[in-house]
């Protein structure tokens, strides 16, 4: 298997209200897009296009946000946005605030992002990244006549590991999980518990090229991955609370 990963170069800056789907389609016209390519999109440009941008100057922090801000030495206005975008606080101390988002993702600060956004603004996660991924995929199929998969990604930290990794938070046209239980290994042992988070593997690989600083490459093409076509949800990657021994 040969896998190729490359960015859409010179991708334009996205502003609130821009039609990201139309922009992506026009940029894809410039390359030799192929069937079964996987398009990995940084959530920040999707969130911007969907007006998921908070101006901190317009945020009035609650007493609880003020309390956390004092404890952590952080801007209570940003804390307020984190709380608004969360459904539950999982862990909190003087340094970190781990929450569950309304989607069910468990991450630091509800995924609120300050990078690559100007002034006193922050970006939150898209409301429904699966839906947005399907819209982009459908538009590509209609306008460019290519059957591709789409992954919306964000970088999360990991329990018991240092460093962040790109994860899938939305998807279309690709199975979120590859269940290979029942297959055998090189020595004939039957696999009994192996379920592969294929879309997270693809998102992480794309993250190497995408970068997280000033690279300016928020859309990545991954070519050559063998995957199953499906229209399920990235939420299937979330472990149920009753099976989560770390929560």
């Amino acid at each position: 298997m040969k896998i190729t990963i490359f960015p859409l170069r010179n991708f334009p800056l996205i502003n609130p209200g821009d039609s990201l789907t139309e922009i992506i389609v026009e940029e894809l016209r410039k390359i030799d897009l192929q069937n079964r390519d996987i398009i990995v999109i940084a959530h920040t440009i999707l969130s911007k296009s969907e007006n998921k941008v908070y101006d901190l100057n317009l945020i009035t922090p609650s007493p609880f946000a003020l309390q956390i801000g004092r404890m952590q030495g952080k801007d209570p206005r940003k804390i307020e946005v984190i709380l608004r975008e969360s459904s539950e606080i999982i862990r909190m101390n003087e340094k970190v605030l781990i929450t569950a988002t309304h989607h069910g993702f468990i991450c630091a600060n509800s995924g609120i992002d300050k990078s690559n956004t100007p002034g006193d603004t922050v970006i939150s996660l898209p409301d429904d990244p699966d839906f947005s991924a399907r819209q982009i995929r459908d538009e590509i199929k209609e306008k460019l006549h290519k059957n591709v998969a789409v992954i919306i990604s964000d970088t999360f930290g990991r329990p018991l590991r240092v460093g962040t990794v790109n994860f899938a938070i939305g998807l279309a046209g690709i199975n979120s999980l590859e269940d290979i239980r029942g297959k055998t290994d090189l020595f004939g042992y039957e696999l009994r518990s192996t379920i592969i988070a294929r879309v997270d593997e693809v998102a992480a690989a794309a993250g190497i090229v995408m970068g997280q600083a000033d690279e300016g490459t928020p859309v990545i093409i991954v070519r050559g991955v063998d995957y199953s076509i499906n229209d399920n949800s990235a939420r299937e990657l979330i472990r149920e609370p009753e099976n989560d021994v770390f929560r």
Side-chain angles (χ1 to χ4, degrees):
M1 178 189 299
K2 178 182 179 181
I3 296 175
T4 306
I5 305 172
F6 59 95
L8 289 183
R9 297 286 185 187
N10 302 313
F11 198 85
L13 290 176
I14 300 300
N15 297 305
D18 284 349
S19 175
L20 181 62
T21 301
E22 291 182 6
I23 293 171
I24 287 176
V25 167
E26 290 308 308
E27 293 300 312
L28 288 174
R29 292 186 190 277
K30 302 174 184 178
I31 69 168
D32 180 25
L33 186 67
Q34 298 180 15
N35 286 317
R36 295 187 63 83
D37 280 351
I38 304 172
I39 301 169
V40 183
I41 303 167
H43 92 86
T44 49
I45 61 171
L46 176 61
S47 294
K48 282 183 180 179
S49 72
E50 295 181 352
N51 294 300
K52 293 294 291 182
V53 179
Y54 286 88
D55 183 346
L56 295 182
N57 295 308
L58 303 177
I59 299 296
T60 301
S62 65
F64 189 37
L66 289 168
Q67 178 186 344
I68 297 173
R70 285 192 297 269
M71 178 179 69
Q72 297 188 341
K74 296 179 180 178
D75 189 336
R77 301 173 302 171
K78 182 179 178 182
I79 299 293
E80 177 63 27
V81 175
I82 293 168
L83 295 176
R84 292 182 188 182
E85 291 290 329
S86 71
S87 62
E88 179 185 359
I89 293 177
I90 304 298
R91 292 286 188 276
M92 179 175 62
N93 61 24
E94 292 80 7
K95 294 182 179 180
V96 298
L97 180 56
I98 307 298
T99 62
T101 70
H102 298 298
H103 323 77
F105 303 123
I106 296 177
C107 55
N109 303 326
S110 303
I112 299 300
D113 204 335
K114 180 65 188 77
S115 60
N116 291 309
T117 181
D120 281 343
T121 59
V122 294
I123 303 173
S124 68
L125 297 181
D127 286 331
D128 190 343
D130 285 323
F131 177 77
S132 298
R134 287 193 296 271
Q135 282 190 316
I136 294 169
R137 179 176 185 261
D138 290 346
E139 191 76 4
I140 291 170
K141 188 173 184 179
E142 179 182 343
K143 297 292 179 60
L144 303 180
H145 311 292
K146 298 294 182 181
N147 195 8
V148 301
V150 174
I151 295 174
I152 310 299
S153 72
D154 190 18
T155 52
F156 290 168
R158 302 158 297 161
L160 310 181
R161 304 280 290 185
V162 176
T164 60
V165 173
N166 230 23
F167 285 88
I169 64 168
L171 56 89
I174 182 171
N175 212 12
S176 58
L177 298 165
E178 294 285 345
D179 188 347
I180 61 172
R181 291 175 294 184
K183 293 187 177 182
T184 56
D185 66 10
L186 292 173
F187 299 95
Y189 175 77
E190 181 179 327
L191 303 178
R192 298 179 180 178
S193 61
T194 305
I195 301 175
I196 302 170
R198 183 68 72 209
V199 290
D200 280 344
E201 290 183 326
V202 174
I208 298 172
V209 178
M210 184 180 291
Q212 297 185 39
D214 62 354
E215 292 83 358
T217 50
V219 180
I220 306 296
I221 310 300
V222 181
R223 179 172 295 163
V225 174
D226 184 21
Y227 64 89
S228 302
I229 298 175
N230 203 326
D231 272 328
N232 50 12
S233 169
R235 299 190 188 197
E236 295 184 7
L237 295 158
I238 300 171
R239 192 181 300 277
E240 295 294 334
E242 59 268 22
N243 297 322
D244 187 348
V245 298
F246 295 103
R247 185 178 296 196

